[in-house]
Amino acid sequence: MEFNFTEEQNLLINTTKAFVKAELLQHEELLEKTNNLPKELYDEIKKKSIEAGLYACNMPVEHGGGGLNAFDLTLVEKHLGFASLALAEIAWRPQNILMACEGELIDEYLKPAITGERKDCIAMTEPEAGSDLRGMKTNAKKDGDDWVINGTKHFISNAHISDFVVLFASTGTDEQGRNLLSCFLVDLHQKGVEVAKGYDCVSHRGYVNNVINFNDCRIPGKNILGEKDKGFELMNVWLEATRLTVAATSVSRAERAFDIALDWSANRKQFGKVIGKFQGVSFKLADMATNIKAANLMLLESAWKIDEKTLSSQDAAMTKLFCTEMLGKVSDEAIQICGGMGLMSDIPLERIWRDARIERIWEGTSEIQRHIISRSLLRPLGA
Ligand SMILES: Cc1cc2nc3c(=O)[nH]c(=O)nc-3n(C[C@H](O)[C@H](O)[C@H](O)COP(=O)(O)OP(=O)(O)OC[C@H]3O[C@@H](n4cnc5c(N)ncnc54)[C@H](O)[C@@H]3O)c2cc1C
């Protein structure tokens, strides 16, 4: 693994940073104050992201994407993640899993997602099935050539502005009576689908989650992604990498919080000295910097392993766990260093701290990551 970035990678980093500075940061305050992202602003940022070549940079060149490998994509994600998620997400990318499209699905879903004409969202979670996805009740039944879908998904990010959903649903049970899952592409503006308001969330203002109800929703037989009953396998192939996205954005927000705390430590005076002169403060900085460095290295190693095709579930889980928990600690300590001002909305720390909370929950909770890691340690020993 090469520790120096190439000239192209530095260019990519600088392009992303410049985009964040010019197009995203200025809108953070509006988002914080209104908890709302106006449609015109969404469209404008998306247009600029397409022009800058950032949109769909993860997607294959032959279908019009940017063709970045996982390592370079992680660099882009990390630096986009510096900004409020609701803004950064616009400049982002279609879900990796769409690369599983075959046949007519390529022209109907994959290509329009890459050009930005059609937006995707992804729906796995249900009111009674979060960590235990196999317990999902949403089901798809074959009727002639079609699939008929019934059920409810909740916590679905950005469904209100999406055109279609990558939907996981039960398509039967195995011999042990366990749910078998399959993955479908479902247009959201069709009969039998209702996108309803979700919940108000303390993290990531302006980033909307929805409930989606499917009521005898009929879709063509071809709209299945991958093989019937192989939804879990599909998740493993395509969705492990999304844990690194969470890790990447966590690292850059921790760096942002750290820089604020460092600056404060070097300038805020109490008892006639800058507070950074007190070990009670400076040792916090030392621990924060060390943890950020460790998180960065784990992140880059995991991204590199995706390209090498050697990333294990354990690697992805460790990286997500460490980077998100590190962000929680760093943002909390940064507030401590800034004292009362740390909690005021005049500086973005209280927001980074609030936003940090969700990272230990979505894309698999910290407990689920620990479960994956510990199983991979113990299983070979038969325990
Ligand atoms: C704002 C927001 C947006 C989201 N966007 C999406 C989206 O776009 N699409 C989507 O499909 N999902 C989305 N999610 C869902 C997210 O991935 C789930 O919230 C997450 O997987 C946890 O599920 P849960 O909230 O139902 O918690 P639960 O699974 O009910 O867990 C509750 C607690 O029990 C613990 N627990 C559960 N099982 C175990 C176990 N075996 N061992 C130890 N502890 C355990 C958990 O760690 C947690 O602490 C989103 C969530 C939020 C909050």
Side-chain angles (χ1 to χ4, degrees):
M1 183 179 168
E2 175 57 67
F3 283 92
N4 290 315
F5 294 145
T6 63
E7 215 171 289
E8 290 78 20
Q9 285 165 339
N10 279 323
L11 187 65
L12 202 56
I13 292 170
N14 291 336
T15 304
T16 312
K17 279 180 163 177
F19 183 84
V20 165
K21 197 168 168 210
E23 310 298 345
L24 305 185
L25 295 184
Q26 60 193 301
H27 304 299
E28 286 186 331
E29 205 179 320
L30 171 82
L31 216 58
E32 288 307 307
K33 285 200 172 128
T34 63
N35 195 18
N36 178 43
L37 181 73
K39 170 87 171 67
E40 312 75 65
L41 180 58
Y42 176 91
D43 289 341
E44 183 193 321
I45 293 175
K46 183 163 144 185
K47 186 168 159 273
K48 288 190 170 148
S49 166
I50 292 170
E51 283 163 8
L54 289 172
Y55 200 81
C57 59
N58 61 318
M59 286 289 165
V61 176
E62 67 262 33
H63 294 314
L68 290 188
N69 62 21
F71 190 90
D72 293 353
L73 179 67
T74 299
L75 298 178
V76 172
E77 286 179 330
K78 182 187 155 186
H79 292 284
L80 273 181
F82 185 86
S84 286
L85 186 72
L87 296 166
E89 202 266 348
I90 308 168
W92 227 288
R93 57 183 177 124
Q95 314 274 346
N96 270 353
I97 197 169
L98 288 178
M99 285 191 242
C101 282
E102 286 179 358
E104 290 171 51
L105 300 182
I106 293 177
D107 282 337
E108 220 173 308
Y109 294 96
L110 175 63
K111 286 186 181 171
I114 290 173
T115 56
E117 286 159 77
R118 302 188 81 191
K119 180 164 168 56
D120 55 298
C121 62
I122 189 158
M124 297 173 282
T125 310
E126 299 183 1
E128 289 174 58
S131 303
D132 179 18
L133 284 177
R134 211 184 267 279
M136 68 176 60
K137 296 207 171 88
T138 298
N139 59 80
K141 297 211 164 77
K142 210 71 206 271
D143 182 30
D145 286 342
D146 296 340
W147 292 98
V148 177
I149 300 167
N150 281 288
T152 295
K153 298 286 176 182
H154 81 161
F155 287 157
I156 308 309
S157 300
N158 284 324
H160 69 304
I161 48 167
S162 295
D163 300 289
F164 67 95
V165 58
V166 178
L167 173 78
F168 285 85
S170 164
T171 38
T173 49
D174 64 13
E175 299 87 53
Q176 286 95 44
R178 295 182 312 166
N179 239 346
L180 292 167
L181 307 185
S182 302
C183 184
F184 301 92
L185 298 179
V186 183
D187 291 351
L188 287 170
H189 307 292
Q190 72 169 78
K191 198 168 161 242
V193 183
E194 180 207 17
V195 177
K197 189 180 177 310
Y199 315 88
D200 290 328
C201 182
V202 68
S203 296
H204 299 311
R205 284 196 181 139
Y207 189 80
V208 173
N209 68 85
N210 296 100
V211 172
I212 314 182
N213 294 309
F214 299 91
N215 196 352
D216 285 336
C217 163
R218 187 172 283 273
I219 60 166
K222 68 170 170 54
N223 277 30
I224 189 163
L225 205 56
E227 281 178 57
K228 178 181 174 294
D229 300 338
K230 299 283 184 203
F232 258 114
E233 288 77 355
L234 205 66
M235 276 185 204
N236 288 339
V237 171
W238 295 107
L239 298 183
E240 211 131 68
T242 62
R243 300 209 158 131
L244 289 202
T245 303
V246 175
T249 58
S250 295
V251 174
S252 66
R253 271 183 279 132
E255 287 174 349
R256 188 171 178 181
F258 176 78
D259 285 345
I260 296 168
L262 183 66
D263 187 59
W264 196 271
S265 308
N267 292 297
R268 170 75 173 165
K269 282 191 180 149
Q270 288 294 284
F271 301 98
K273 295 180 192 173
V274 292
I275 58 169
K277 292 271 188 203
F278 302 118
Q279 269 190 0
V281 172
S282 63
F283 279 17
K284 283 192 204 308
L285 292 170
D287 288 346
M288 290 154 81
T290 307
N291 278 306
I292 290 173
K293 179 164 185 173
N296 252 314
L297 289 170
M298 278 181 95
L299 175 69
L300 294 180
E301 192 218 34
S302 285
W304 174 78
K305 279 188 166 179
I306 296 183
D307 291 327
E308 295 291 304
K309 305 206 180 336
T310 56
L311 183 84
S312 65
S313 301
Q314 185 189 26
D315 292 324
M318 282 179 168
T319 306
K320 201 254 171 190
L321 176 68
F322 188 81
C323 293
T324 56
E325 299 216 334
M326 177 280 297
L327 171 63
K329 280 185 232 145
V330 166
S331 58
D332 192 71
E333 289 290 48
I335 287 185
Q336 197 64 22
I337 288 173
C338 293
M341 275 315 286
L343 287 169
M344 301 302 130
S345 56
D346 299 59
I347 46 178
L349 270 189
E350 59 87 23
R351 164 160 62 83
I352 296 173
W353 178 62
R354 253 189 296 112
D355 291 351
R357 195 59 192 87
I358 198 172
E359 311 301 348
R360 285 149 60 195
I361 293 176
W362 60 11
E363 297 293 342
T365 64
S366 283
E367 291 74 22
I368 294 301
Q369 308 308 326
R370 286 191 168 88
H371 173 75
I372 294 168
I373 297 162
S374 56
R375 290 311 299 140
S376 68
L377 295 171
L378 288 164
R379 197 169 274 146
L381 306 180

